[in-house]
Amino acid sequence: MPVSLTPNAITAINAGDVNLKPLLQVLDIKLIGKIQERGQERYRLLISDGALAEHAMIAVQLNDRVKSGQVVIGSIVQLIDYICSTVKNRKLIVVLNMETIIPQSETIGNPKMSPESDAEAQIPLSAPGSMPPPNRAVFNEPAIQQSVNKAPPRGVNFQNPANSTATPSFRPSVQPSYQPPPSYRNHGPIMKNEAPARIIPIAALNPYQGRWAIKARVTAKGDIRRYNNAKGDGKVFSFDLLDSDGGEIRITCFNAVVDRFHDVVEVGKVYLISKGSLKPAQKNFNHLKNEWEIFLEATSTVELCPDEDGSIPRQQFSFRPISDIESAENNTILDTIGVVTSVNPSVPILRKNGMETHRRVLNLKDESGKAVEVTLWGEFCNREGRQLEEMVVDSAFYPVLAIKAGKVSDFSGKSIGTISSTQLFINPDFPEAQKLRSWFDHGGKDIASSSISRDNMPGGGSRNEIRKTVSQIKEEGLGRSDKPDWVTVKATVSFIKTDSFCYTACPLMIGDKQCNKKVTQTGTNTWLCDRCNQESEECDYRYLLQVQIQDHSGLTWVTAFQESGEEIMGCPAKQIYTLKNELQNDEEFAEIVRNRLFHQYLLKLKIKEESYGDEQRVKITVVKVDKVNYTSESKYLLDLVRREIS
Amino acid sequence: MDTSSPSVFVNGALLRRFVGQKVRTVIQVMGSDMGSVVGKSTDDLQIFVRGSPPPSLTTYLEVIGIADSENSIRAEVWTNFGDSFDALNYNELCKLANGEFKHLFI
């Protein structure tokens, strides 16, 4: 099919025309490296209107088009949604949505680099002897305009029930774009633009824009979290937004800004948000499909839109069948939906930082023939967890549960856990749920699903422990990766170092926690803490115990701090400190230590390589000490044997 | 360790395979008499143990002796195993000890 490119499209786009929907040819595709390592891949296209060529970034959600070969070098595409912004005096076109019109074609015309573009100016790009320039004057291609509203969101949009039938799930743009009159450019005094910032799609946000506004619905809102780090105490909360184009982004507020906006923001409502800075998204906390995250500032505005029309979906899901989760990577955040087949009671759990939380495990199955374990943490146990328990356990009714933003864990097979931004929907009113319901009620209930989560490890304490032998720590190079390794060993204490086994700790409270930093004696009864910058009359004695542990495979040194030290020594540090240093009763001291040797424990270890000056040393810390429970240990070993021989 | 006369780990079902041979098992004591004890094997079968039991018995009892029928043992060694003992684990051990790897046990 002969096709004409839109004449002068590059010039028009550079001048700010975003409604042209031009036909352009892709001359080159380049993968721009991973932005700041944790960012996503971006593709940069070189697009041509036959006379001029210009670089254009494509939005991340269009990456698949390149990867799947829908857009290749030579493709003729129609830009449907795009913006052009100025970055450091350079024009940058960002393509938000496009359609491939002709999969591949020879280079049309003899395009030169646009003068607006950076480097490589005026280099002829077409090979000599390629197609002659087409007749540009007669361009008209009405047939192509039809696909404008076809947007690419994957997954399902959960519309407002009121207009779910009428509205298409997606609208390309909210308001006409702002077009600067050409005469403003490059000369004249700089004037502050007092007009309200124009609303742009979330997908178009980038750190190089000055003024922007977005209109979006709050889909999730986190609780206020308090933190304490080197810079001091603080608080933070974040919420997630979804706009009518399916763009999502997280907003984070710190300290005073928390007070300003926390009460304003309500889940489900639509807001106009403006001013704030864009930072790279913290991918380990933020699962949204956006490489940026907005930090609100004192000057930011968050205004409720009371007259929102429901063009913005309530929630956007991209449900993955449970069979897919089996191959999903650890820590992937995803949505899934299934029928709850069992709910376990909520149990209290001690977290690594010593705080208590709750955990509740339930089982989910779906039409893929697989089942998965879902772990609810904290508040979810009591809220949705209890509701589910009442249905399943008390009434033997098996509800459909949709999980938005669950986290995949690969301990003991694959399972899903809740995180703070997870949302649970019980018996939701959308088509997937109805389909599942009818599948379950018409036979699905009796189909045996194989679980992708390994059955509860019989005994052995926590089911997600990784058991190792002492020699495996060295052999497998544990602790050498970025993150510490957490493993459990069954080992016997064979030696305890006694020349120094504890330190003087600061007894002052910081918030609800004791400081515990090392204090130095400044007088007979005064101790100074560098962190608190205060003196106290007393100090605490806390264990810092060097212990040698041994199993059938080898031995190693480990460090045990307060709680685990006390478990190993059987009494508080202060007691034996007094015995040794004040009463100087060496005999009794030696007796106590001797009695603590040759006990066997299950030791949970944190293993991490640290550098001391030039030296790299693997540091092994005892996090938890448990006496061996012979019943559960036997169960564990039997299970191991069974798995080895089957 | 004396390996001249090994005793086979058995539960109630395995006992019948070793009539006339030396076996060891753990039972949950149901009742006792002068010269005999009735107990439940780890796989829930009734076992009679004859001989001279110790004067006081805990809930679980290990006996070593000759199997003289498919549900009775003439015990030579009696050992109290306490009140909390995991019968399921023991039962699994008996199965392992008489399965593919029984050469490791006898």
Side-chain angles (χ1 to χ4, degrees):
Chain A
M1 175 176 91
V3 73
S4 306
L5 302 181
T6 309
N8 298 321
I10 298 290
T11 313
I13 294 172
N14 279 331
D17 189 337
V18 294
N19 293 321
L20 186 63
K21 307 209 175 8
L23 242 59
L24 297 165
Q25 184 172 30
V26 177
L27 297 182
D28 191 27
I29 299 175
K30 199 169 176 186
L31 175 63
I32 305 293
K34 307 216 169 200
I35 296 164
Q36 302 190 356
E37 286 183 5
R38 56 170 180 254
Q40 287 156 296
E41 302 167 331
R42 297 294 301 254
Y43 286 97
R44 188 178 72 177
L45 308 183
L46 185 62
I47 46 173
S48 143
D49 62 7
L52 285 178
E54 173 74 283
H55 286 301
M57 301 298 298
I58 60 169
V60 180
Q61 71 262 25
L62 299 175
N63 281 359
D64 281 347
R65 310 273 182 102
V66 174
K67 285 184 189 158
S68 64
Q70 287 179 60
V71 173
V72 295
I73 295 175
S75 292
I76 297 186
V77 296
Q78 181 181 31
L79 304 194
I80 291 167
D81 254 327
Y82 51 93
I83 54 163
C84 180
S85 50
T86 308
V87 183
K88 294 179 186 153
N89 296 324
R90 282 165 45 187
K91 292 286 179 183
L92 180 72
I93 301 173
V94 180
V95 181
L96 306 172
N97 192 10
M98 61 181 177
E99 291 287 331
T100 305
I101 304 302
I102 296 179
Q104 202 163 5
S105 155
E106 279 186 68
T107 308
I108 298 173
N110 186 21
K112 293 184 166 53
M113 277 311 290
S114 154
E116 298 279 5
S117 187
D118 52 339
E120 315 133 324
Q122 308 298 333
I123 300 168
L125 289 151
S126 63
S130 62
M131 281 176 69
N135 183 352
R136 287 180 203 134
V138 295
F139 173 79
N140 195 5
E141 198 78 57
I144 287 160
Q145 301 284 346
Q146 70 200 8
S147 54
V148 171
N149 276 350
K150 236 198 267 162
R154 288 172 311 211
V156 198
N157 287 330
F158 177 22
Q159 295 280 348
N160 279 343
N163 54 7
S164 57
T165 47
T167 341
S169 57
F170 216 85
R171 284 183 183 183
S173 187
V174 183
Q175 282 188 359
S177 327
Y178 171 70
Q179 295 182 25
S183 60
Y184 281 4
R185 298 198 296 131
N186 298 336
H187 48 82
I190 295 162
M191 300 237 318
K192 194 166 176 202
N193 187 350
E194 300 288 353
R198 72 182 170 100
I199 293 172
I200 61 169
I202 287 176
L205 283 173
N206 65 62
Y208 314 112
Q209 287 152 322
R211 294 156 46 72
W212 52 261
I214 50 174
K215 183 179 173 185
R217 193 186 296 281
V218 176
T219 55
K221 176 181 168 184
D223 295 327
I224 297 180
R225 283 171 290 135
R226 289 175 193 280
Y227 62 88
N228 171 282
N229 60 20
K231 290 179 197 158
D233 296 331
K235 55 184 173 179
V236 58
F237 99 102
S238 49
F239 55 99
D240 296 346
L241 296 176
L242 175 67
D243 76 1
S244 58
D245 292 345
E248 29 183 42
I249 197 161
R250 172 160 301 173
I251 294 201
T252 302
C253 307
F254 283 95
N255 301 325
V257 185
V258 173
D259 300 331
R260 245 187 93 197
F261 296 121
H262 185 264
D263 294 340
V264 176
V265 171
E266 274 179 63
V267 174
K269 299 227 163 117
V270 173
Y271 297 86
L272 259 177
I273 295 166
S274 185
K275 298 198 188 86
S277 54
L278 275 91
K279 308 248 166 87
Q282 306 251 319
K283 282 294 171 190
N284 37 346
F285 303 117
N286 183 345
H287 55 277
L288 301 181
K289 290 187 195 83
N290 200 319
E291 63 184 280
W292 308 109
E293 155 168 349
I294 300 173
F295 282 48
L296 289 187
E297 295 155 352
T299 56
S300 303
T301 56
V302 175
E303 284 166 46
L304 184 67
C305 283
D307 56 342
E308 55 101 357
D309 53 5
S311 66
I312 307 175
R314 290 258 152 206
Q315 228 12 286
Q316 183 166 269
F317 292 97
S318 37
F319 291 125
R320 304 267 296 269
I322 294 172
S323 54
D324 264 22
I325 299 170
E326 199 166 13
S327 54
E329 256 182 67
N330 192 24
N331 293 336
T332 309
I333 307 287
L334 45 73
D335 306 340
T336 194
I337 187 167
V339 180
V340 180
T341 54
S342 72
V343 181
N344 291 358
S346 176
V347 289
I349 284 279
L350 209 57
R351 285 204 305 223
K352 275 173 200 152
N353 63 8
M355 309 250 279
E356 200 186 84
T357 183
H358 285 81
R359 185 177 78 177
R360 190 197 277 274
V361 174
L362 48 91
N363 275 289
L364 212 59
K365 75 176 191 176
D366 73 2
E367 290 168 276
S368 69
K370 298 280 183 184
V372 68
E373 236 177 61
V374 177
T375 309
L376 308 184
W377 295 98
E379 275 301 296
F380 288 110
C381 294
N382 289 329
R383 284 202 314 256
E384 289 88 349
R386 181 163 299 165
Q387 217 180 322
L388 290 167
E389 187 177 19
E390 279 166 12
M391 290 176 173
V392 175
V393 179
D394 303 346
S395 324
F397 170 75
Y398 303 98
V400 171
L401 177 68
I403 301 172
K404 167 83 188 159
K407 184 163 139 187
V408 175
S409 153
D410 66 0
F411 287 126
S412 69
K414 286 279 165 55
S415 59
I416 294 178
T418 61
I419 52 175
S420 60
S421 48
T422 299
Q423 290 179 77
L424 303 177
F425 300 87
I426 300 169
N427 287 323
D429 181 24
F430 36 75
E432 283 78 11
Q434 285 148 18
K435 192 159 149 259
L436 259 174
R437 175 91 267 152
S438 101
W439 164 79
F440 189 80
D441 292 344
H442 296 94
K445 183 171 194 250
D446 303 318
I447 293 171
S449 303
S450 62
S451 179
I452 62 168
S453 317
R454 196 201 296 159
D455 290 340
N456 260 346
M457 286 270 280
S462 156
R463 52 183 283 270
N464 48 20
E465 63 175 37
I466 301 167
R467 189 69 79 89
K468 296 285 178 192
T469 63
V470 169
S471 64
Q472 276 177 310
I473 296 173
K474 204 171 258 171
E475 282 162 14
E476 297 180 7
L478 298 183
R480 299 261 169 86
S481 52
D482 299 349
K483 283 191 191 157
D485 284 303
W486 303 81
V487 304
T488 302
V489 296
K490 182 175 64 183
T492 303
V493 171
S494 54
F495 185 76
I496 298 170
K497 213 168 167 179
T498 50
D499 32 344
S500 151
F501 58 87
C502 66
Y503 72 97
T504 50
C506 175
L508 298 173
M509 298 299 283
I510 296 184
D512 51 358
K513 270 182 161 176
Q514 196 173 312
C515 167
N516 287 337
K517 283 276 180 293
K518 188 175 161 61
V519 288
T520 39
Q521 195 161 18
T522 48
T524 350
N525 268 328
T526 46
W527 306 82
L528 176 71
C529 173
D530 286 338
R531 183 203 201 177
C532 302
N533 203 16
Q534 266 190 63
E535 287 195 332
S536 24
E537 290 178 2
E538 277 190 338
C539 76
D540 213 0
Y541 292 89
R542 292 175 70 83
Y543 278 112
L544 181 75
L545 200 62
Q546 302 292 327
V547 179
Q548 205 172 46
I549 59 164
Q550 187 170 345
D551 70 1
H552 63 279
S553 70
L555 57 86
T556 187
W557 283 99
V558 297
T559 305
F561 289 100
Q562 182 61 3
E563 286 76 16
S564 41
E566 198 165 309
E567 199 66 47
I568 290 170
M569 293 307 293
C571 62
K574 183 163 190 183
Q575 192 178 326
I576 40 177
Y577 178 85
T578 316
L579 189 70
K580 186 185 181 216
N581 297 53
E582 288 170 21
L583 305 173
Q584 303 203 325
N585 189 341
D586 287 342
E587 214 165 286
E588 198 178 324
F589 175 75
E591 185 60 23
I592 288 179
V593 174
R594 214 169 15 244
N595 278 331
R596 302 313 298 168
L597 295 178
F598 306 115
H599 289 280
Q600 195 181 40
Y601 301 104
L602 279 182
L603 301 167
K604 183 150 192 196
L605 306 177
K606 178 189 175 188
I607 306 169
K608 179 85 190 90
E609 190 173 61
E610 284 172 17
S611 29
Y612 296 87
D614 295 342
E615 203 189 339
Q616 295 283 315
R617 218 183 297 165
V618 173
K619 196 173 172 195
I620 309 175
T621 313
V622 182
V623 192
K624 198 160 177 282
V625 180
D626 282 309
K627 296 216 170 64
V628 176
N629 173 330
Y630 294 106
T631 300
S632 54
E633 186 61 15
S634 300
K635 280 204 179 84
Y636 167 77
L637 291 172
L638 278 167
D639 195 50
L640 205 66
V641 171
R642 223 174 284 137
R643 228 173 298 155
E644 286 295 320
I645 62 181
S646 64
Chain B
M1 197 168 94
D2 177 19
T3 54
S4 56
S5 99
S7 47
V8 191
F9 282 96
V10 293
N11 58 18
L14 289 160
L15 183 61
R16 69 190 57 162
R17 283 171 34 186
F18 297 94
V19 175
Q21 295 179 52
K22 197 167 181 184
V23 294
R24 77 165 71 203
T25 193
V26 173
I27 54 167
Q28 187 183 339
V29 177
M30 312 293 287
S32 66
D33 222 310
M34 287 290 288
S36 80
V37 173
V38 184
K40 196 170 71 172
S41 71
T42 54
D43 54 346
D44 271 339
L45 295 171
Q46 207 168 55
I47 292 187
F48 299 93
V49 188
R50 293 182 291 120
S52 32
S56 73
L57 295 172
T58 57
T59 312
Y60 291 96
L61 176 69
E62 186 198 48
V63 292
I64 301 176
I66 307 292
D68 47 23
S69 81
E70 62 178 41
N71 64 358
S72 69
I73 297 170
R74 190 159 23 86
E76 294 150 15
V77 184
W78 306 74
T79 313
N80 273 322
F81 264 22
D83 298 323
S84 65
F85 178 80
D86 196 277
L88 284 175
N89 278 335
Y90 190 85
N91 199 46
E92 290 303 309
L93 171 68
C94 293
K95 287 195 234 161
L96 275 179
N98 289 284
E100 196 186 337
F101 299 95
K102 64 179 175 202
H103 56 279
L104 294 174
F105 290 84
I106 331 173

